[in-house]
Amino acid sequence: PQELALQVAAEVSEFEASLTGPNRWEKMVGFLKETALGLVADVAARMAQATEARCAAEVAAADARVAAAEAQADRWSAQAAQAQEAAGVAESRAQQLEEACEELRSAGAEKDQSRQVAEERAQQLCWQLEDTLRENQRLVEEVEELQRALRAKAE
């Protein structure tokens, strides 16, 4: 703007020096019109340049925001892929744990069944032992009775 004002002032001084004669005022009005039109054109051009620069800056800022959003989307996508992979690993581990639990349940059931069979066998053995002890007691009593009878006969 300051350069423009100096330029206009120089042109006005130059024009005033060239003004002579009876059309002096007409020449001055023509000059002012021409200068005003030049100023308007120059201001319009500068405004267009400023608008263009502002638009370019806004486009650059929008491009930067788009690039940042794309980078964030890429990070989120990578995190989602990692989470999906971790979920797959967790699911696989859960399946392994479920299988291990099933094996333990099965082994526990087998153990319980074996224990039950062992308890039943032990109970049968106890009954057989009781029967044998009773039989032995009866035999001991018979032997004692026979011994008493033999002693009585021997006397």
Side-chain angles (χ1 to χ4, degrees):
Q2 193 173 19
E3 288 177 20
L4 183 62
L6 290 174
Q7 181 183 354
V8 169
E11 288 180 17
V12 167
S13 295
E14 186 181 316
F15 181 72
E16 282 178 345
S18 71
L19 286 179
T20 56
N23 322 5
R24 181 175 158 198
W25 292 109
E26 289 175 11
K27 286 182 183 179
M28 193 178 282
V29 168
F31 169 76
L32 290 175
K33 283 182 182 178
E34 187 179 309
T35 303
L37 288 175
L39 286 174
V40 167
D42 190 48
V43 168
R46 289 179 188 229
M47 286 177 64
Q49 287 175 345
T51 301
E52 185 178 319
R54 192 170 50 251
C55 287
E58 289 176 7
V59 166
D63 287 345
R65 287 192 301 272
V66 166
E70 287 174 346
Q72 181 64 42
D74 289 344
R75 286 191 296 275
W76 286 342
S77 178
Q79 288 173 347
Q82 289 173 346
Q84 189 172 12
E85 184 179 332
V89 169
E91 186 176 329
S92 173
R93 184 68 180 134
Q95 180 64 32
Q96 291 172 350
L97 289 173
E98 181 62 33
E99 289 170 4
C101 286
E102 186 58 36
E103 287 175 15
L104 287 173
R105 277 189 223 107
S106 177
E110 288 175 12
K111 181 181 171 186
D112 288 345
Q113 187 177 11
S114 295
R115 182 179 20 218
Q116 185 177 2
V117 167
E119 287 174 357
E120 289 173 2
R121 181 72 180 133
Q123 183 64 44
Q124 289 173 352
L125 290 173
C126 284
W127 290 333
Q128 287 176 356
L129 180 60
E130 288 174 357
D131 290 345
T132 302
L133 286 175
R134 279 192 293 274
E135 182 64 24
N136 285 348
Q137 183 63 36
R138 188 187 62 76
L139 290 173
V140 166
E141 289 173 1
E142 279 184 24
V143 167
E144 286 176 352
E145 195 177 302
L146 286 174
Q147 284 176 346
R148 275 194 297 267
L150 283 173
R151 270 187 248 156
K153 278 189 178 196
E155 293 180 358

